[in-house]
């Protein structure tokens, strides 16, 4: 149910903007996709990327989650399963999303000579990253338009996000960070759209993308309660105007179910996947949750913010302005969407669990 | 990251000083030219381009935020320019960063310093295994780290280069379009919104196919966990077998996972340790088409007899077990 509040973007605005912004969004997609494809590496840079590829390969070709490669452990990092097989440390999300790309890549290999087939298969499979990164840019543009309503401002923000942060380097590689970024941004975008349009399908989509993010990186589960609070806050504000407790409760339950069921289903698949591989639903490849904070917090925070290898400010220069920006953003009246920067900060504070900050709470590497 | 970038829009509204805006743009341009672009485009694995020897890598400071990236980026650009104009002149390193803490492993982990070599460990040159070694051999003098550059270096096929040119043209056209638009840009209101429906269709197709793959995979892997007892002390826990149809002369990958129980393992096995036993079986070139069973059993060295096999419930199975069927085609 749409509502009218001068502080937020209304339904009419959204409809008007979605009409008006169709072409700009298309051009944003073309612009970033072209740049990402031009600078796309086309090969793998680390064994982690190869592991994600190998799981896709095993599922499609052998109907197995285990790594069937004969490569030695020093080359391919893996975790030993309860059955003695070698398994990936990562969630199933990135490998599952890559399945259609893998099938296209496999089909493409017939057009090149034998010794290039492995290269082409990887090149096409790794196209996931540039494509999902470009989609993330479109979503960021749409969010920026919803927040600020000006094309130039929105495009500037999208350029900062797409070219001046780690989004660009990750679009070059086959890590799961690009995919995770798209999932989390799309999930929040759908949730935000729900607060404007009130469509149940938007809630389902939001829940689906949050669940998929958890399936991609388990640490993304940190975002779920924050998004749930955001939804509850919206429902509370909206239902305060509805008459009758019964209607009030029904609306709460239906909205929470629409949003929560896809998340719950996908989290269950993650737990089953863990149990199947490691014997325990809570044993991911990164170790148990208890081990997340075993490294010095301050050292991790330092590594995350200032080290030459991991510094957020060094490799995403615009984030240096985050503190004054969030203050200006909050003062500007867009109160509710500001939950997302705070959730980002919360994840940052959680992540310094290793000396380099982002190794284990990986959800924030993309954010 | 987008959550940290989005609020910048509010800041842009409040900054009216032209000097401040100029400073911001200058810093952004400098950073783009010295850190982001070299990191994105140049092939830093090549010593010719990078200008850093392995010995010098040991002295790259670990905790100095700009000391590493800035001089290195400058040296990269310098090396790059030199190599472009004087290809033979770049013999010695031009990196002159200060000595600092020992190089650990962070160099491998930062997205901009992609110097992890593509490991040349091709077991076989087909789709299932690494083929990066072949590329690695051909890129000793690489300058640019992008797929189309490899095709240029390899000289094949020319259509790929055209694709890169198309990307460049599309970048320029889309940028022009986006810069032309003003804040009050309005497009036809007749547009039918397909993005929502399209998203649902794509998601449904992907979800159905992924679910199908997942169910098949789980069913197959459950079948592969067999827990068979061979003799008194050996357990065959599970196996992996190449499921694809084969041709005569092809190879069949077979991996068996054994576990020694009790205190009578084979010579090299530790009790309770799961042993991965990989085979690479070549199908004889004269094999006629048909379905062939993959059987496994274990011989006792002294007597030459096969060990008896019992199932998890203790029932006798015989002295061998059928794992799978392989289809051999013409």
């Amino acid at each position: 149910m749409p509502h009218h509040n001068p502080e937020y973007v209304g339904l009419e605005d959204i409809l008007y903007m979605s009409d008006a912004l169709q072409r700009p969004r298309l051009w944003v997609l073309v612009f970033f996709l072209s740049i990402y494809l031009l600078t796309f590496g086309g090969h793998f840079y680390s064994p982690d990327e190869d592991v994600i590829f190998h799981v896709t390969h095993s599922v499609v070709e052998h109907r197995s989650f285990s790594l069937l490669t004969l490569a030695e452990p020093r080359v391919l990092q893996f975790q030993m399963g309860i059955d003695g097989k070698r398994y990936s440390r990562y969630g199933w999300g990135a490998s599952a999303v890559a399945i259609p790309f893998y099938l296209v890549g496999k089909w493409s290999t017939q057009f090149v000579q034998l010794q290039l087939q492995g290269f082409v298969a990887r090149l096409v499979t790794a196209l996931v990253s540039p494509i999902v990164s470009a989609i993330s840019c479109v979503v960021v543009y749409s969010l920026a338009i919803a927040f600020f309503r000006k094309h130039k401002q929105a495009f500037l923000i999208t350029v900062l996000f797409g070219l001046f942060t780690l989004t660009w380097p990750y679009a070059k590689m086959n890590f799961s960070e690009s995919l995770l970024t798209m999932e989390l941004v799309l999930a929040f975008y759908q949730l935000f759209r729900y607060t404007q349009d009130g469509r149940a399908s938007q809630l389902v989509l939001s829940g689906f993308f949050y669940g998929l993010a958890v399936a991609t990186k388990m640490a993304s589960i940190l975002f779920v309660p924050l998004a749930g609070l955001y939804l509850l806050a919206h429902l509370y504000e909206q239902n305060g105007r509805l008459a009758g407790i019964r209607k009030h409760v029904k609306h709460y339950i239906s909205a929470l179910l629409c949003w929560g069921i896809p998340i719950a289903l996908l989290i269950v698949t993650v737990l089953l996947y863990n149990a199947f591989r490691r014997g325990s639903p809570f044993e991911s490849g990164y170790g148990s949750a208890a081990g997340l904070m075993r490294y010095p917090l301050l050292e991790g925070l330092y590594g995350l913010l200032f080290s030459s290898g991991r510094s957020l400010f060094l490799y995403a220069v615009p984030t240096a302005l985050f503190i004054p920006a969030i203050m200006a953003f909050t003062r500007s009246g867009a109160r509710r969407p500001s939950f997302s920067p705070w959730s980002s900060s919360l994840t940052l504070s959680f992540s310094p669990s290793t000396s380099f900050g982002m190794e284990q709470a990986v959800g924030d590497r993309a954010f | 990251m987008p959550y940290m970038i989005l609020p910048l829009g509010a800041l842009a509204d409040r900054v009216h000083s032209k000097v401040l805006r100029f400073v911001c743009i200058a810093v952004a341009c400098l950073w783009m030219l010295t850190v982001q672009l070299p990191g994105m485009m140049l092939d830093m694995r090549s010593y010719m381009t990078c200008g850093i020897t392995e010995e010098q890598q040991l002295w790259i400071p670990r905790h100095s935020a700009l000391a590493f990236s800035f001089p290195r980026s400058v040296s990269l650009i310098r090396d790059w320019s030199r190599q472009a104009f004087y290809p033979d002149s770049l013999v010695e390193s031009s990196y002159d960063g200060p000595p600092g803490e020992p190089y650990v492993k962070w160099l491998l982990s930062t997205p901009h310093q992609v110097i992890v070599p593509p490991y040349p460990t091709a077991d076989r040159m087909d789709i299932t295994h690494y083929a990066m070694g072949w590329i690695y051999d051909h890129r000793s003098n690489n300058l640019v780290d992008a797929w189309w550059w490899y095709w240029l270096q390899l000289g094949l096929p020319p259509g790929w280069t055209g694709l890169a040119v198309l990307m460049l043209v599309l970048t320029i056209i889309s940028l022009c379009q986006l810069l032309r638009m003003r804040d009050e840009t309005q497009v036809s209101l007749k547009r039918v919104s397909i993005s929502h429906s399209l998203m649902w269709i794509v998601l449904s197709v992907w979800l159905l196919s992924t679910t199908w793959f997942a169910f098949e995979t789980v069913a197959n892997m459950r079948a592969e966990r067999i827990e068979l007892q061979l003799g008194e002390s050996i357990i065959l826990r599970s196996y992996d077998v190449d499921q694809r149809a084969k041709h005569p002369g092809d190879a069949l990958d077979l991996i068996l996972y054994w576990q020694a129980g009790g205190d009578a393992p084979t010579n090299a096995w530790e009790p309770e340790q799961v042993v991965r036993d990989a085979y690479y079986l070549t199908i004889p070139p004269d094999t006629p088409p048909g379905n062939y069973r993959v059987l496994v059993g274990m011989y006792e060295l002294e007597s030459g007899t096969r060990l008896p096999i019992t199932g998890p419930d203790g029932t006798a199975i015989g002295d061998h077990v059928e794992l799978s069927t392989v289809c051999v085609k013409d």
Side-chain angles (χ1 to χ4, degrees):
Chain A
M1 178 74 76
H3 58 275
H4 297 280
N5 186 331
E7 209 169 74
Y8 312 125
V9 182
L11 174 68
E12 297 77 11
D13 293 327
I14 287 288
L15 289 177
Y16 169 78
M17 284 190 293
S18 65
D19 278 334
L21 291 172
Q22 184 61 17
R23 269 171 61 190
R25 281 195 293 201
L26 181 67
W27 286 119
V28 166
L29 181 71
V30 172
F31 177 68
F32 284 100
L33 188 59
S34 307
I35 287 184
Y36 292 156
L37 287 177
L38 265 177
T39 55
F40 175 50
H43 62 90
F44 294 165
Y45 295 85
S46 92
D48 293 348
E49 300 169 272
D50 222 7
V51 164
I52 294 171
F53 174 81
H54 267 283
V55 174
T56 308
H57 165 77
S58 287
V59 168
V60 174
E61 303 293 353
H62 305 286
R63 299 295 187 272
S64 173
F65 296 125
S66 66
L67 305 169
L68 301 183
T69 174
L70 303 180
E72 290 306 307
R74 64 181 173 79
V75 174
L76 205 58
Q77 295 175 2
F78 60 83
Q79 295 281 319
M80 197 73 84
I82 48 168
D83 53 2
K85 294 185 179 181
R86 298 170 172 184
Y87 291 99
S88 157
R89 297 192 306 169
Y90 311 110
W92 57 261
S95 300
V97 169
I99 287 177
F101 292 84
Y102 176 85
L103 292 172
V104 175
K106 185 184 169 189
W107 173 78
S108 312
T109 55
Q110 61 186 301
F111 302 113
V112 295
Q113 48 191 297
L114 183 65
Q115 62 265 44
L116 277 177
Q117 287 182 353
F119 177 70
V120 169
R122 283 166 172 76
L123 187 148
V124 178
T125 307
L127 280 174
V128 173
S129 287
I131 290 173
V132 300
S133 297
I135 293 173
S136 298
C137 289
V138 175
V139 180
V140 167
Y141 178 82
S142 304
L143 274 171
I145 280 288
F147 292 168
F148 304 111
R149 308 188 189 193
K150 289 179 183 169
H151 162 72
K152 282 183 181 170
Q153 214 163 342
F155 183 53
L156 174 70
I157 288 168
T158 315
V159 167
L160 287 177
F161 166 71
L163 300 182
F164 284 78
T165 67
L166 294 174
T167 308
W168 196 7
Y170 278 130
K172 193 182 178 77
M173 306 167 186
N174 194 42
F175 289 118
S176 54
E177 269 69 19
S178 308
L179 178 65
L180 190 63
T181 304
M182 186 201 72
E183 289 161 351
L184 290 172
V185 171
L186 260 177
F188 175 69
Y189 179 64
Q190 292 298 333
L191 196 57
F192 176 72
R193 288 293 299 266
Y194 170 76
T195 64
Q196 309 298 316
D197 302 352
R199 280 198 242 160
S201 63
Q202 291 165 335
L203 272 184
V204 175
L205 277 176
S206 171
F208 176 78
F209 284 117
Y210 274 120
L212 205 55
V214 176
T216 304
K217 286 272 167 69
M218 211 168 171
S220 319
I221 205 165
L222 289 169
F223 288 93
V224 174
L226 288 162
L229 283 176
Y230 176 61
L231 176 61
L232 279 173
H234 165 74
L235 290 173
Y236 177 76
E237 190 174 290
Q238 188 187 34
N239 286 305
R241 299 180 187 128
L242 294 178
I245 294 177
R246 187 176 296 173
K247 193 175 180 182
H248 182 88
V249 171
K250 191 179 166 190
H251 191 60
Y252 264 76
I253 292 176
S254 62
L256 286 173
L257 284 179
C258 283
W259 185 73
I261 285 177
I263 298 178
L265 285 177
L266 284 161
I267 288 178
V268 166
T269 65
V270 173
L271 298 178
L272 287 174
Y273 184 57
N274 285 344
F276 194 83
R277 293 180 300 167
R278 310 274 296 156
S280 163
F282 302 105
E283 272 287 328
S284 72
Y286 286 97
S288 65
L292 279 177
M293 298 302 287
R294 66 178 181 270
Y295 294 97
L297 188 79
L298 286 178
E299 189 185 347
L301 197 60
Y302 171 80
L304 181 68
L305 298 178
F306 302 111
S307 77
S308 51
R310 289 278 180 181
S311 168
L312 186 68
F313 300 136
L314 180 60
Y315 293 107
V317 159
T319 56
L321 297 172
F322 171 65
I323 299 294
I326 188 65
M327 289 166 73
F329 189 70
T330 309
R331 270 193 236 116
S332 69
R335 268 188 303 110
R336 286 188 306 168
S338 70
F339 105 91
S340 26
W342 295 121
S343 77
S344 177
S345 309
L346 185 134
T347 328
L348 280 177
S349 63
F350 181 82
S351 65
S353 50
T354 72
S355 56
F356 290 108
M358 305 185 199
E359 281 295 324
Q360 302 213 17
V362 206
D364 57 354
R365 198 191 287 184
F367 271 65
Chain B
M1 198 65 75
Y3 293 166
M4 300 185 82
I5 298 297
L6 272 168
L8 293 179
L11 202 61
D13 276 341
R14 289 170 175 263
V15 176
H16 302 295
S17 161
K18 283 185 180 175
V19 176
L20 198 57
R21 286 189 178 195
F22 176 78
V23 169
C24 286
I25 292 171
V27 168
C29 290
L30 186 68
W31 177 82
M32 179 60 83
L33 286 174
T34 55
V35 177
Q36 187 86 321
L37 270 180
M40 286 303 303
M41 291 308 298
L42 301 188
D43 190 334
M44 301 200 182
R45 279 155 294 204
S46 164
Y47 292 157
M48 291 293 283
T49 307
C50 182
I52 300 176
T53 64
E54 282 193 57
E55 193 178 329
Q56 282 174 316
Q57 285 178 11
L58 295 173
W59 292 102
I60 290 171
R62 179 184 172 192
H63 284 308
S64 56
L66 283 167
F68 170 67
S69 286
F70 189 75
R72 186 178 181 203
S73 298
V74 170
S75 71
L76 275 169
I77 292 173
R78 195 166 58 202
D79 291 358
W80 186 51
S81 323
R82 274 192 207 165
Q83 188 168 351
F85 292 106
Y86 309 103
D88 300 327
S89 69
L90 198 65
V91 180
E92 292 182 3
S93 157
S94 63
Y95 176 71
D96 51 0
E101 294 180 43
Y103 163 77
V104 195
K105 72 167 189 177
W106 65 267
L107 201 60
L108 304 178
S109 59
T110 168
H112 289 281
Q113 281 77 49
V114 280
I115 60 167
V116 182
Y119 22 88
T121 54
D123 297 297
R124 284 150 37 191
M125 288 299 190
D126 65 12
I127 190 172
T128 66
H129 291 80
Y130 291 47
M132 302 308 292
W134 191 82
I135 294 296
Y136 189 55
D137 292 341
H138 287 74
R139 51 183 302 208
S140 55
N141 288 318
N142 264 341
L143 197 63
V144 177
D145 183 32
W147 59 273
W148 46 269
W149 180 264
Y150 304 144
W151 291 112
L152 278 177
Q153 296 291 301
L154 300 171
L156 47 88
W160 289 91
T161 316
L163 205 57
V165 173
L166 177 68
M167 291 295 125
L168 188 62
V169 171
L170 280 175
T171 306
I172 294 166
I173 291 175
S174 54
L175 181 61
C176 291
Q177 289 285 342
L178 287 163
L179 291 178
R180 265 180 50 199
M181 290 173 192
R182 290 185 293 182
D183 287 341
E184 59 274 16
T185 296
Q186 292 182 26
V187 183
S188 167
L189 295 175
K190 293 177 193 167
R191 184 191 60 79
V192 178
S193 175
I194 59 163
S195 58
H196 207 251
S197 316
L198 190 66
M199 191 189 291
W200 274 109
I201 292 169
V202 169
L203 281 180
S204 305
V205 170
W206 174 80
L207 203 57
L208 285 175
S209 58
T210 305
T211 308
W212 177 71
F213 271 117
F215 273 112
E216 281 218 330
T217 302
V218 170
N220 181 53
M221 292 196 74
R222 283 173 66 90
E224 287 174 352
R225 290 183 176 177
I226 47 181
E227 298 280 335
L228 299 176
Q229 177 93 28
L230 287 85
E232 293 180 354
S233 55
I234 306 290
I235 299 169
L236 178 59
R237 304 246 346 230
S238 60
Y239 63 91
D240 280 316
V241 64
D242 197 344
Q243 304 276 350
R244 292 172 292 180
K246 299 288 174 185
H247 298 281
D250 281 354
L252 176 75
D253 286 342
L254 172 66
I255 307 173
L256 304 170
Y257 299 88
W258 304 99
Q259 187 174 22
D263 33 325
T266 61
N267 287 344
W269 295 1
E270 296 289 330
E272 307 304 326
Q273 177 196 4
V274 177
V275 177
R276 187 174 187 267
D277 192 12
Y279 296 93
Y280 179 48
L281 307 171
T282 304
I283 298 171
D286 55 350
T287 306
N291 290 324
Y292 293 85
R293 295 184 298 158
V294 180
L295 306 176
V296 66
M298 183 175 275
Y299 290 94
E300 195 173 35
L301 187 62
E302 290 81 13
S303 63
T305 56
R306 282 186 187 155
L307 295 173
I309 302 177
T310 51
D313 54 354
T315 54
I317 292 176
D319 61 1
H320 64 272
V321 64
E322 179 180 334
L323 298 183
S324 179
T325 307
V326 59
C327 175
V328 177
K329 292 180 176 176
D330 270 331

